Amino acid sequence: FIATVHPYDSLPQDELARVAGFFGRREYAAGETVYDIDEALPGLFLIESGVVQVRDRNGESVSELGPRNSFGERGLLRAGRAVTSASAVSEAVILVLPRRELLRLMEAHPGFARFFDRGSRAVMRASDAAMMKVGELLSGKPRSCGADMPIIKAAGMMRDARVSSLGIVMDDGRLTGIVTIRDMSNRVVAEGHDPQAPVSEVMTPDPVSLPSSALGLDVLNIMFERGIGHLPVVDDGRFVGMISQTDLTRVQAVSASALLRDIAQAKTVGEMAETTGRIPGLLAQMVRAHQRHEIVTRMITDITDAVTRRLLEMAEARLGPAPAAWAWAACGSQGRQEQTGISDQDNCLILAEASDPADPYFESFARFVCDGLNECGYVYCPGDMMAVNPRWRQPRDVWRGYFRDWIARPDPEAQMLASVMFDLRAIGGDASLLRGLQTETLELAARNSIFVAHMISNALRHRPPLGLIGGFATIRHGAYRDHIDMKLGGVVPVNDLARVYALQGRLTPVNTRARLQDAEAKGIISGSGGRDLIAAYDLIQTARLENQAALILSGRAPDNFLLPADLPDFERSHLRDAFVVVRGMQAAVSHGKGIPG
């Protein structure tokens, strides 16, 4: 049985046999308690048969687990005491691995340890070509042919595949040489070589190569030293792909710095639109380079900010100086600096007090910027929350009235608007027009217990997609049947609750992760619970971005819908555990408490 459960199935056979001897076997009747909160745990629990229900400190059910699911690891890997309670829903047989043996396995086998380390993710690395691994620079499947293929046929293969080189391989996949477009020109056309001769007569034999684990820096060094433009990639003797100077140029061309430079130098909106068309490639590149999610989304948002500021400059150049001071502010994911591969625009214009919002200048100003954003791929907001809408283009004193009314009358629309507007961030103009407004609004809202209660209620509207017996609650109909919505079911619940914590603690950060870190630091949420929540958010956002990158690399448009069946077992398990943490946090907030430690 243990050999069929991940991650035990990854252990060597002798280790697996040894571990099996350490497991104890316990039987529980329906309704019987497995352990209570704060109870010392004997080890890690693994369900062989039956169903177990896990509850948080408030008695709320956070999970129902079936065979092959583990539980108890959160408390076990900390102080050794339970942070939840567990009881058998039906008759159950549960295996128990002693804590000492679990820790030994985690130390001896890194792959095993990663399964139980909910917070582990690849460390941040630079995204330029020099710091990327060679395997991450490869594009498309390897193109190769046999040594006896006629030259003319090999040339046709390159033409049809639109590549500039081929690997020449033996029957067993070993690389014996390479042939390039340059070889075809210099050795075939220029010298009148028989095009029906085998390609081995014009190939470069035994070329220098690198493994896929090498760095782009190694590629650059070899290409510069040897004056070559193609470098084969070989793992364990087998040809796995070809790196060319074009691949390196492609990576550098979509780097964030290159996009920001091109946006700053753009003379027209059309030029900027061509640049923003490279954003999906940048996202895929950064995800493949294992950049942390908050770095990826910050980079993507920085580009949006640069586009917005360039449009503001163009608008002023076209219309002349504004008749009064103004601040252009973004809300939503741009305001929180959390944009991904798909984003609409959410913005507003705050004018100096006593300004005329009906002034044709500001109407034309807002129209130019919003239209420009739409042309650059940031489509018009479906809810019309844009500065082009007169409602969201008002003097500061009107904005102050908006906030006061929403706080005094927290109906559903007010809740929605307040949630969006609490994420405002100044992008251009006079930032002080927003800064003072936010400070006084946050203080006013935090003092209103009824408003805070409504905000908490609003934060519970979106629930993580958890089903019964350890599964996911997937979409049942339509184009995304059997998928889960990683935005509405994963990211939005954390966004909402981070906003509540910011309100309760009068915290000034707008970014979700920064809000959670600040809430933990200031004791708004418990230390252990805060760490769990941040780790869960990291995992959810990373999975969302990895899914978007995979869609982009397959030639499709990115979206927020993930098919759990596409994930390996251990990734599904971790994602599900992350949703369990979020649901537990929601339950704690609904009871007026922080996350349980």
Side-chain angles (χ1 to χ4, degrees):
F1 171 74
I2 294 170
T4 68
V5 179
H6 194 76
Y8 306 97
D9 59 357
S10 66
L11 297 174
Q13 284 299 311
D14 58 341
E15 183 75 281
L16 186 63
R18 181 181 186 280
V19 171
F22 281 91
F23 273 96
R25 192 169 186 273
R26 302 184 179 189
E27 297 183 1
Y28 294 86
E32 186 176 355
T33 297
V34 180
Y35 59 74
D36 282 319
I37 288 177
D38 295 328
E39 182 177 317
L41 296 172
L44 177 70
F45 295 86
L46 172 63
I47 303 172
E48 183 177 356
S49 63
V51 177
V52 171
Q53 185 172 60
V54 179
R55 295 182 180 273
D56 64 15
R57 288 182 182 273
N58 302 307
E60 294 281 343
S61 175
V62 296
S63 183
E64 283 196 355
L65 306 175
R68 293 185 173 79
N69 278 295
S70 296
F71 61 101
E73 64 265 32
R74 283 176 57 204
L76 193 68
L77 296 177
R78 290 180 184 168
R81 294 188 174 275
V83 297
T84 56
S85 63
S87 59
V89 176
S90 62
E91 290 186 354
V93 175
I94 301 176
L95 307 181
V96 183
L97 181 66
R99 182 173 188 257
R100 184 168 58 183
E101 180 61 14
L102 173 64
L103 295 177
R104 187 195 69 79
L105 285 171
M106 293 179 69
E107 182 176 355
H109 302 281
F112 186 96
R114 281 194 295 272
F115 180 84
F116 293 103
D117 182 6
R118 273 30 180 185
S120 66
R121 275 291 168 188
V123 296
M124 182 179 68
R125 294 180 293 194
S127 64
D128 64 14
M131 292 297 104
M132 291 177 69
K133 286 188 176 181
V134 168
E136 296 164 347
L137 293 168
L138 292 174
S139 59
K141 62 182 181 180
R143 303 288 180 173
S144 63
C145 68
D148 57 352
M149 176 176 282
I151 293 171
I152 191 170
K153 189 171 182 181
M157 280 186 64
M158 285 193 279
R159 177 201 62 201
D160 294 343
R162 297 183 179 179
V163 296
S164 57
S165 63
L166 292 175
I168 311 301
V169 299
M170 306 291 283
D171 290 341
D172 61 0
R174 286 187 299 112
L175 183 75
T176 186
I178 67 170
V179 63
T180 68
I181 288 290
R182 188 174 182 179
D183 293 329
M184 293 293 182
S185 172
N186 294 347
R187 299 178 184 176
V188 180
V189 178
E191 297 178 4
H193 206 100
D194 181 6
Q196 295 298 334
V199 72
S200 59
E201 294 185 8
V202 296
M203 74 179 185
T204 299
D206 301 319
V208 62
S209 63
L210 284 173
S212 57
S213 59
L215 293 178
L217 182 62
D218 301 321
V219 177
L220 292 168
N221 288 338
I222 290 175
M223 285 185 171
F224 289 147
E225 289 175 3
R226 301 185 178 231
I228 59 177
H230 296 80
L231 192 66
V233 182
V234 176
D235 286 337
D236 298 325
R238 299 180 66 84
F239 176 65
V240 296
M242 190 83 72
I243 292 291
S244 69
Q245 289 181 345
T246 302
D247 293 315
L248 300 177
T249 302
R250 171 180 51 80
V251 171
Q252 296 290 10
V254 297
S255 69
S257 58
L259 267 65
L260 291 170
R261 178 201 63 214
D262 293 347
I263 288 166
Q265 297 175 354
K267 297 296 190 293
T268 66
V269 176
E271 288 180 9
M272 277 198 292
E274 290 180 6
T275 301
T276 55
R278 287 148 47 195
I279 289 177
L282 173 65
L283 183 144
Q285 171 191 314
M286 295 182 73
V287 171
R288 291 177 74 187
H290 305 293
Q291 291 278 18
R292 289 186 60 86
H293 72 86
E294 65 267 31
I295 301 298
V296 178
T297 54
R298 172 61 185 269
M299 286 288 190
I300 300 299
T301 308
D302 283 351
I303 293 168
T304 309
D305 290 353
V307 170
T308 306
R309 283 191 290 268
R310 186 72 186 101
L311 288 168
L312 292 169
E313 292 172 358
M314 290 180 173
E316 282 198 309
R318 170 177 291 196
L319 301 172
W326 54 270
W328 186 278
C331 44
S333 59
Q334 184 184 359
R336 296 190 304 272
Q337 297 179 301
E338 295 167 4
Q339 288 192 304
T340 65
I342 47 172
S343 298
D344 58 4
Q345 56 175 291
D346 298 285
N347 47 62
C348 63
L349 195 55
I350 303 171
L351 308 177
E353 294 184 6
S355 299
D356 180 6
D359 190 310
Y361 178 94
F362 288 119
E363 181 179 357
S364 299
F365 185 86
R367 173 59 64 188
F368 180 89
V369 178
C370 290
D371 287 351
L373 287 170
N374 183 69
E375 187 174 340
C376 290
Y378 306 99
V379 298
Y380 297 121
C381 173
D384 205 24
M385 188 167 287
M386 300 176 292
V388 73
N389 181 343
R391 186 181 185 187
W392 309 127
R393 188 179 69 247
Q394 292 292 330
R396 180 177 167 179
D397 52 339
V398 174
W399 279 102
R400 183 180 289 109
Y402 283 167
F403 279 109
R404 289 182 180 277
D405 287 346
W406 295 336
I407 293 168
R409 300 182 295 100
D411 57 30
E413 183 191 34
Q415 286 296 304
M416 183 273 293
L417 293 173
S419 295
V420 172
M421 294 303 175
F422 273 123
D423 295 345
L424 280 174
R425 183 171 59 88
I427 306 298
D430 184 356
S432 67
L433 290 173
L434 173 62
R435 195 179 304 120
L437 184 64
Q438 281 182 311
T439 301
E440 63 182 72
T441 301
L442 185 61
E443 182 66 29
L444 183 66
R447 292 200 307 264
N448 190 318
S449 59
I450 296 177
F451 178 79
V452 173
H454 278 279
M455 285 290 286
I456 291 173
S457 176
N458 184 65
L460 302 178
R461 289 174 50 237
H462 297 101
R463 307 285 284 179
L466 290 169
L468 298 176
I469 320 299
F472 293 99
T474 59
I475 298 170
R476 296 184 178 182
H477 306 287
Y480 296 108
R481 181 180 177 181
D482 297 329
H483 289 67
I484 54 178
D485 189 331
M486 293 295 290
K487 179 180 178 181
L488 291 183
V491 174
V492 169
V494 185
N495 293 157
D496 289 343
L497 285 152
R499 194 179 295 115
V500 167
Y501 287 125
L503 182 59
Q504 291 177 325
R506 296 170 171 81
L507 310 178
T508 55
V510 174
N511 174 265
T512 296
R513 199 173 193 277
R515 280 172 166 168
L516 295 177
Q517 289 176 318
D518 207 14
E520 179 192 347
K522 290 181 169 58
I524 309 302
I525 50 179
S526 69
S528 58
R531 288 190 295 272
D532 270 354
L533 179 56
I534 292 170
Y537 178 64
D538 287 346
L539 197 149
I540 291 167
Q541 272 284 52
T542 300
R544 179 191 183 198
L545 288 175
E546 287 176 346
N547 185 56
Q548 290 190 4
L551 291 171
I552 291 165
L553 292 171
S554 67
R556 290 179 286 173
D559 59 42
N560 289 305
F561 299 96
L562 181 146
L563 187 65
D566 284 346
L567 298 177
D569 287 347
F570 75 94
E571 289 191 18
R572 277 202 307 273
S573 177
H574 284 353
L575 181 59
R576 187 192 167 283
D577 287 345
F579 289 148
V580 168
V581 169
V582 175
R583 178 171 288 184
M585 175 265 287
Q586 289 181 320
V589 169
S590 71
H591 287 80
K593 302 175 183 178
I595 300 176

